[in-house]
Structure formats: C-alpha cells, structure tokens
Amino acid sequence: MPSDVEGSYSRRAAEYTAALGSIATVHPSDLALVTSRASSVVGPLLDAGCGPGHWTAHLASQCADARGVDRVPAFIEHARAEHPTVPFTVGDIDALADPDEGYGGVLAWYSLIHHEPDAVRRALDEFARVLRPGGQLLVGFFLGAAVDPFDHAVVTAYRWPAEALAGELDATGFAIVETHTRIGAAARPRPHGAITAVLR
Ligand SMILES: C[S@@+](CC[C@H](N)C(=O)[O-])C[C@H]1O[C@@H](n2cnc3c(N)ncnc32)[C@H](O)[C@@H]1O
C-alpha cells in the first residue's frame, strides 16, 4: 500500500472517532440500507475495515455473530473498549486471517477508498475467499465520474464511478444486486455510492 493508510489513521484515530465513530453520525439512508442487507444475511458477518467499530456493533445488534477487522490498532482498542461483547481484530483486509467460506456477509463501508485502483482486487479476492457461495458483499464508496484520487482529510482516497467498481466486483466473482447513489445537496460532504453483490 503506497500511501501510509495505517500511520495516517493512527495519528488521527481519536479525531476520526470523535467525528464519525458513532452510528448517530451515519446518513439515515445508509443505516437503512446496511440494516436491511444485514437482516437478509445467513451466517456470520465481517465488518472489513471497521474503523472505530460503530457499524460492527450495529451489525451485532441485528445478527448475533458480527465481528470487525481493521489494521489500525487505535481503532481496535477503542472498538473493544466501547463494544466489549463484539469481537474485533487488528488485521489487513488484503490478507485476512479467516478461513475460506466462513462468512455469510462482508461489509466494506468506505474501507476500499484508499486502495490504489489496481489494488482493489486484492481485498475483493479476500472477500470472495472468506464468503460462502451466495454470501453478500456491501461496499460503500466515494462516487465520481472517473477513477481518480483526491485529498481526503486523512490520506489520499479514490472516487469510483459505480459501473467501474461494479466491474471489479463482477471480475472477482460477484453478481451485482443493486447500486445506490447519492448526489447533490443530499450527498454532503461528497457524492456517495453503495453496491450490494452476492458471490456467484
Ligand atoms: C474511511 S475509514 C472507514 C471506517 C469505517 N468502515 C466507517 O465507515 O467509519 C477507512 C478504514 O479502512 C481501514 N483500512 C484501509 N485499508 C485497510 C486494510 N488494508 N486493512 C484493514 N483496514 C484497512 C482504515 O484503517 C480505516 O479504518
């Protein structure tokens, strides 16, 4: 990973957590989408790139078996302290420690945004490996007209056209179920996309 994602988030983990580390800060449409998708998952759920763990705790409130992984130790320490009944692990979503086909669902909510475009497939391959056939993947991302980098508040991030990211999912073995976008005034601070897919 060329840019220092781990170091950049580690330095600003407390700030990120204070600003965004609560389910109360998420957009109501995103909360509705994630909740409804989670309710249809059969089997354990992985929150991949869980940050402070608020989404993981929400998933755990919907389905008993949810866990989070992130490569930033400060996020995992916070998540464990804040949500002591939910399992959290320090780890890399490009090289998960989990066995094959162990999960019914993976949430990758804004955790692929810092991957260089040609490296997104590493994480997607891992999601495909740890999901059961028919398992669900939900990805949240910054929407854009082209795949291009921008100066995200923490570290360089990438916008993706929904079709381009859907193409990466398709090439990894996922069938696209639905795509959501939010643009214009409703999209503050930035245009947003979400794709739900199932492993073929
Ligand atoms: C924008 S934050 C999103 C966090 C959380 N999903 C949320 O919605 O608030 C991006 C997260 O992805 C994590 N991340 C990025 N690349 C990762 C990798 N290769 N392995 C594990 N975590 C990663 C970062 O550490 C950070 O916590």
Side-chain angles (χ1 to χ4, degrees):
M1 180 177 308
S3 49
D4 183 13
V5 172
E6 183 179 335
S8 300
Y9 273 99
S10 294
R11 284 187 287 279
R12 303 187 66 177
E15 188 186 341
Y16 184 95
T17 300
L20 298 168
S22 154
I23 209 71
T25 65
V26 310
H27 193 288
S29 302
D30 297 340
L31 184 58
L33 175 65
V34 173
T35 304
S36 101
R37 293 291 89 219
S39 71
S40 65
V41 166
V42 178
L45 274 164
L46 178 66
D47 184 4
C50 63
H54 51 296
W55 278 117
T56 329
H58 179 69
L59 296 175
S61 74
Q62 306 295 307
C63 115
D65 198 350
R67 59 199 76 173
V69 60
D70 200 285
R71 64 183 306 165
V72 174
F75 278 147
I76 296 302
E77 282 163 28
H78 167 87
R80 286 177 177 151
E82 197 71 17
H83 312 289
T85 60
V86 181
F88 290 98
T89 313
V90 175
D92 185 351
I93 61 174
D94 295 345
L96 291 166
D98 304 281
D100 297 357
E101 300 188 12
Y103 289 103
V106 171
L107 175 66
W109 200 252
Y110 281 82
S111 53
L112 299 177
I113 61 171
H114 302 296
H115 279 61
E116 298 229 331
D118 62 5
V120 158
R121 213 69 84 77
R122 283 187 214 143
L124 295 180
D125 280 339
E126 276 298 82
F127 300 159
R129 182 183 68 75
V130 301
L131 277 169
R132 301 169 180 172
Q136 268 191 55
L137 172 63
L138 174 53
V139 180
F141 60 98
F142 291 118
L143 185 70
V147 182
D148 60 6
F150 68 94
D151 287 333
H152 179 269
V154 179
V155 63
T156 303
Y158 292 82
R159 305 181 186 91
W160 283 81
E163 305 74 27
L165 191 53
E168 297 288 336
L169 269 66
D170 178 67
T172 316
F174 289 96
I176 307 304
V177 175
E178 57 186 13
T179 300
H180 297 261
T181 59
R182 191 161 59 240
I183 57 174
R188 288 195 191 109
R190 293 189 179 93
H192 157 82
I195 299 176
T196 305
V198 293
L199 189 62
R200 288 194 286 264

